[in-house]
Amino acid sequence: MRAMSFELRDRDLLGRIGRLRTKSGTVETPAFMPVVNPVSQAIPPRRMMEEFGCDILITNAYIFRKHFGDMLDLEIHRFLDYNGVVATDSGAYQILVYGEVEASQEEIIEFQKRMGSDIAVILDIPTGWDVPRSKVEWTVEETLRRAEAAIPLIEGDEALWVGPVQGGTHLDLVERSAKAIASMPYQIHALGSPTEVMESYRFPILVDMIMVAKRNLPPERPLHLFGAGHPMVFSLAIALGCDMFDSAAYALYARDGRYLTPHGTKRLKSLSYLPCSCPVCRRRDAEELRGMLKGERVRLLSEHNLHVTMSEIDTVKQAIAEGALWELMEDRCRGHPALASALRGLYKYRDDLERGSPSYKGRGLFFFDSGCLARPEITRHIKRLEEQYLPSVTKGKLLLILAPERRPFNKAQQYARLKRNMEEGLDQASRDFHVCFYAPPFGVIPIELAETYPLSQFETAEPLDRETLEFASDSVARYVAKSSHKEVVIYSGKGTLDVLVESKCREACQEKGKELSVVSDLKPWGSEAMERLVNALRG
Ligand SMILES: [Zn+2]
């Protein structure tokens, strides 16, 4: 096998922009590989590269062997008239569809070497969909056995070899499969059989499958998601660490009159307009496209579908480069309720997402609702507060103040007035308190951190939903419980968040034997409320 070269350039969430070197050239990831049928090519590969920007494609070694195996010159780049990177699949998909193939793993491996594939796959056994657990176990063990047996056959080969992960929706078996294949010298891994999961819109389980595989595979090896070709899933899958995709969906959907968009699929027959800026859609309207002869219509629809697919990959890359992958993923996940559920399901993987994300982004954070609670900025803030920040605080009292209207909170006019009042009304001894603001979604924001990123640069959609307010108030109460202060003073309004913060902190203080006083007012920034606070602090 070829020495591995996969260099990472940029990252956001678990998504990354990388450069994968193969013997025929370097491919930037995330990359989409259109499936090219060697027997009938809807769009010639050369055009794919020149007009669509596909510098990598995938074709099927098994089908190629079946139809053209007797040819003298089997070199696949010449056969396809394509000088980009060619990946080959082994026929495993045909096993999934037809139950078996008429070739041994040795023959398929040898054939891929003769074809000059740049990226090649062993003849694994796809798990498939809706099969008994005993069968799933067998696909996992047989794939591992074949992966082990393939190692001496591919030693010294110039291609990059893919070690597939099977297990389907059985997460413990995905884990077993990923751990075992991770210990073998494959340069790329691929997660098998998600196609049916995606077609039945079971995106939450897809998230679990990817995350279990990802956690157990070496991070320095690219991860390919087999058979994923709908642009609406790219941002999510890439955010979870998938680097490569392959699919024939662009062509298959076209045959069926389906028009891809980054937010979902539409039927050509029900389109009044063509909402796309690709050359196909700019040159004609929906009526014209519908009126064409079938062959021409399918060809043009395939072209549109491929344009949209390639363009979405670039959109995701740009989002990674500017640190906006979460926002993009959120937008795409609103395209279907099942994707929105998957987005919510990310909460349990928040630590994984946080580890991958850069700590500073040159842009403010927009927070819409509880669907965003897994955002790495929030996870990181709460972790930092509870693990590193709290122990260093030594002031006598904790003064929790509701967030002023302007950011940064410590520079807000409302807080400046309150501060003046406290300075004028209190002697040195009564001023021994640590000021923290509380604000959703972050919870506690200590005054010293108010000007740091992203606490100085975030906007929330008001009013926030109950789940976000619960989340923020829980986080405040946890902070209060963990802090070393014996006395806590809350200065608040009368809103839902204020009420939640008060009741949860009261519970925490009771449990920890802390003294709590609360000054809450309908007009928290009025003189009267401020005076009450000064009195409370004096006492
Ligand atoms: Zn188009």
Side-chain angles (χ1 to χ4, degrees):
M1 276 180 264
R2 192 182 166 81
M4 175 65 175
S5 169
F6 182 49
E7 184 192 318
L8 294 182
R9 291 286 173 94
D10 228 327
R11 57 196 297 170
D12 194 14
L13 305 175
L14 293 172
R16 53 227 192 143
I17 295 177
R19 292 175 66 78
L20 178 66
R21 202 176 311 153
T22 76
K23 70 181 167 58
S24 296
T26 299
V27 175
E28 191 170 82
T29 62
F32 173 75
M33 307 182 242
V35 172
V36 169
N37 184 331
V39 183
S40 73
Q41 300 158 11
I43 307 170
R46 183 199 276 268
R47 268 195 72 205
M48 279 186 172
M49 178 176 250
E50 289 168 0
E51 292 172 37
F52 297 77
C54 306
D55 49 11
I56 180 168
L57 56 73
I58 188 165
T59 189
N60 189 300
Y62 175 71
I63 296 178
F64 186 60
R65 179 174 178 272
K66 201 167 151 186
H67 292 269
F68 308 104
D70 297 334
M71 281 178 23
L72 281 177
D73 182 7
L74 288 170
E75 215 291 319
I76 190 69
H77 300 80
R78 271 198 296 277
F79 180 87
L80 295 175
D81 184 27
Y82 175 77
N83 62 5
V85 172
V86 176
T88 47
D89 197 0
S90 56
Y93 181 73
Q94 281 63 34
I95 296 184
L96 186 63
V97 178
Y98 306 112
E100 57 182 317
V101 292
E102 297 150 8
S104 67
Q105 156 151 288
E106 289 73 14
E107 288 168 329
I108 291 285
I109 287 178
E110 198 43 48
F111 194 75
Q112 289 182 87
K113 285 156 88 171
R114 279 178 61 206
M115 288 167 77
S117 308
D118 298 304
I119 298 175
V121 193
I122 63 162
L123 190 61
D124 58 322
I125 309 286
T127 297
W129 172 245
D130 214 11
V131 286
R133 188 178 164 94
S134 57
K135 171 89 188 292
V136 180
E137 280 167 0
W138 178 76
T139 62
V140 167
E141 296 311 320
E142 180 60 15
T143 294
L144 289 173
R145 197 192 62 73
R146 290 178 178 211
E148 192 73 60
I151 295 170
L153 305 176
I154 57 187
E155 202 134 48
D157 186 50
E158 280 292 284
L160 299 174
W161 282 83
V162 178
V165 174
Q166 296 297 346
T169 56
H170 295 258
L171 300 179
D172 58 324
L173 297 177
V174 173
E175 183 179 340
R176 144 101 186 118
S177 178
K179 274 189 176 142
I181 200 91
S183 67
M184 299 183 203
Y186 287 92
Q187 297 108 327
I188 298 175
H189 292 294
L191 180 60
S193 343
T195 315
E196 292 86 350
V197 176
M198 284 186 278
E199 277 173 9
S200 55
Y201 284 78
R202 294 189 57 194
F203 298 114
I205 185 78
L206 179 69
V207 167
D208 292 335
M209 288 165 66
I210 297 173
M211 284 310 300
V212 169
K214 190 75 192 169
R215 279 178 172 176
N216 291 289
L217 290 170
E220 67 278 10
R221 297 181 187 170
L223 177 61
H224 174 176
L225 188 60
F226 271 135
H230 201 302
M232 72 177 176
V233 303
F234 288 162
S235 55
L236 175 66
I238 291 169
L240 300 176
C242 295
D243 303 291
M244 299 160 85
F245 305 90
D246 76 281
S247 174
Y250 70 99
L252 299 176
Y253 277 46
R255 258 182 251 167
D256 198 24
R258 287 186 284 176
Y259 181 97
L260 294 180
T261 84
H263 291 96
T265 312
K266 296 183 188 297
R267 294 255 163 211
L268 177 61
K269 66 173 183 223
S270 55
L271 282 179
S272 306
Y273 300 93
L274 299 177
C276 167
S277 56
C278 84
V280 173
C281 301
R282 284 308 92 211
R283 286 184 199 139
R284 48 189 74 71
D285 59 30
E287 196 62 55
E288 254 176 283
L289 194 55
R290 261 196 300 274
M292 286 176 168
L293 290 174
K294 185 161 187 224
E296 180 70 352
R297 189 177 65 235
V298 169
R299 185 179 66 76
L300 289 171
L301 207 44
S302 300
E303 291 189 15
H304 156 80
N305 286 345
L306 187 57
H307 274 300
V308 169
T309 304
M310 295 304 292
S311 150
E312 181 67 0
I313 291 284
D314 280 344
T315 303
V316 177
K317 283 185 193 166
Q318 178 57 29
I320 294 175
E322 65 188 37
L325 183 53
W326 182 281
E327 282 87 343
L328 179 70
M329 170 174 72
E330 207 180 316
D331 173 67
R332 299 315 192 229
C333 286
R334 305 280 180 204
H336 193 281
L339 278 170
S341 303
L343 184 71
R344 291 193 156 261
L346 295 185
Y347 188 69
K348 63 181 160 191
Y349 302 113
R350 61 191 181 282
D351 290 334
D352 301 80
L353 297 172
E354 186 265 318
R355 271 194 296 277
S357 288
S359 51
Y360 177 76
K361 295 173 177 178
R363 50 202 301 285
L365 182 142
F366 293 163
F367 184 92
F368 298 95
D369 57 31
S370 51
C372 313
L373 288 173
R375 290 195 66 136
E377 295 83 2
I378 300 171
T379 309
R380 185 167 295 150
H381 173 70
I382 290 175
K383 237 195 216 166
R384 181 162 71 149
L385 273 192
E386 295 183 3
E387 288 169 12
Q388 300 162 21
Y389 193 77
L390 256 177
S392 66
V393 176
T394 53
K395 295 268 191 192
K397 288 180 195 171
L398 171 63
L399 173 53
L400 276 173
I401 303 178
L402 83 158
E405 279 156 19
R406 292 279 156 91
R407 290 166 196 85
F409 296 142
N410 62 328
K411 294 280 172 67
Q413 256 186 17
Q414 291 169 324
Y415 175 67
R417 271 195 61 214
L418 179 67
K419 192 176 163 206
R420 240 189 346 265
N421 270 279
M422 293 192 294
E423 278 168 359
E424 285 165 10
L426 297 171
D427 58 20
Q428 194 61 37
S430 333
R431 271 190 255 154
D432 180 31
F433 48 75
H434 179 217
V435 172
C436 289
F437 301 100
Y438 64 87
F442 293 101
V444 169
I445 297 179
I447 191 161
E448 312 83 285
L449 300 184
E451 286 181 69
T452 62
Y453 181 83
L455 307 171
S456 58
Q457 271 175 284
F458 71 100
E459 300 290 335
T460 55
E462 303 291 340
L464 282 163
D465 56 29
R466 180 83 186 188
E467 202 179 328
T468 302
L469 300 183
E470 293 274 359
F471 175 90
S473 49
D474 281 338
S475 161
V476 175
R478 260 199 327 274
Y479 183 87
V480 164
K482 281 193 176 178
S483 80
S484 55
H485 305 100
K486 288 277 169 274
E487 264 188 86
V488 180
V489 179
I490 299 181
Y491 183 63
S492 67
K494 297 275 192 190
T496 313
L497 177 69
D498 303 308
V499 173
L500 285 171
V501 165
E502 186 185 330
S503 77
K504 288 178 183 180
C505 288
R506 195 171 293 285
E507 225 169 90
C509 287
Q510 258 163 19
E511 204 171 290
K512 299 279 173 184
K514 295 175 192 241
E515 208 175 294
L516 174 72
S517 38
V518 179
V519 175
S520 82
D521 201 293
L522 264 178
K523 288 187 191 158
W525 303 109
S527 320
E528 208 175 298
M530 289 188 186
E531 205 181 306
R532 281 174 56 211
L533 175 65
V534 170
N535 285 335
L537 289 168
R538 201 183 284 139

